[in-house]
Amino acid sequence: MKRTTSRIANGEFNDWDDESQKFDMIKLVREGIAYDDFLKFFRNEPFTDKEWANYLGISSRTLDRYRNGRKNFPAKQSERIIEIKRLLNYGESVFEDYDNFMEWLETKNIPMGGIVPKNLLDTTLGINMVQDQLGRIEQGILA
């Protein structure tokens, strides 16, 4: 079966609340995101391979196997990839500046108990906490 690059991985989606796009995301998660699509998805993101392995709940060695074998990530990792991508897009839109958002993501956050937000990206609950904090910032509620 020949795999085509997904519309999401091609960067065609910006409206993550569009219902038809959500169905495409579910399909992509079920099929598994190819490593090449993962690279396109996150070509500008500053995370290390070690951080990605942690976020995806796999070893660095397993991440290397995906890279070298050009295999698709399983559904669990594909879903986490989508969650993180959605969060990064949302954060950039809240800050209206990529560099400022990345700085915030890597800085201890007082309202979140002094936790560095990017250290929470290994769980769905953590991703939701970061997203909630971004929502507060968007609404002007800083503490």
Side-chain angles (χ1 to χ4, degrees):
M1 179 172 96
K2 185 178 178 189
R3 182 171 171 358
T4 59
T5 303
S6 69
R7 290 173 54 206
I8 293 173
N10 276 338
E12 294 177 31
F13 295 131
N14 292 319
D15 184 1
W16 293 92
D17 294 322
D18 181 324
E19 290 301 316
S20 66
Q21 290 180 24
K22 286 181 183 177
F23 288 117
D24 286 343
M25 282 185 264
I26 290 169
K27 181 180 177 192
L28 179 62
V29 165
R30 289 177 177 160
E31 290 175 356
I33 294 175
Y35 190 83
D36 288 341
D37 287 349
F38 169 75
L39 288 178
K40 289 176 189 173
F41 230 12
F42 294 104
R43 65 182 160 261
N44 298 322
E45 308 310 335
F47 304 131
T48 65
D49 283 354
K50 184 177 178 181
E51 288 171 323
W52 272 116
N54 180 51
Y55 299 156
L56 299 177
I58 58 177
S59 69
S60 294
R61 204 172 146 130
T62 299
L63 186 61
D64 286 340
R65 283 191 204 107
Y66 285 111
R67 177 183 302 115
N68 297 331
R70 300 292 188 225
K71 294 173 28 178
N72 288 9
F73 287 96
K76 180 179 178 181
Q77 282 78 28
S78 294
E79 188 164 36
R80 179 65 42 79
I81 289 166
I82 295 285
E83 289 174 338
I84 291 172
K85 184 62 175 172
R86 289 180 71 191
L87 177 75
L88 295 176
N89 286 356
Y90 179 52
E92 187 174 355
S93 74
V94 168
F95 278 82
E96 297 180 351
D97 180 86
Y98 174 82
D99 293 330
N100 286 341
F101 171 58
M102 285 296 119
E103 183 178 331
W104 178 85
L105 199 61
E106 296 181 14
T107 303
K108 287 184 181 179
N109 189 291
I110 302 301
M112 294 177 70
I115 295 172
V116 175
K118 79 173 191 173
N119 292 342
L120 297 172
L121 303 184
D122 62 329
T123 66
T124 299
L125 290 172
I127 291 169
N128 289 339
M129 285 178 64
V130 173
Q131 186 162 346
D132 289 347
Q133 187 61 30
L134 288 169
R136 288 184 195 94
I137 293 168
E138 184 176 43
Q139 298 299 318
I141 305 167
L142 299 179

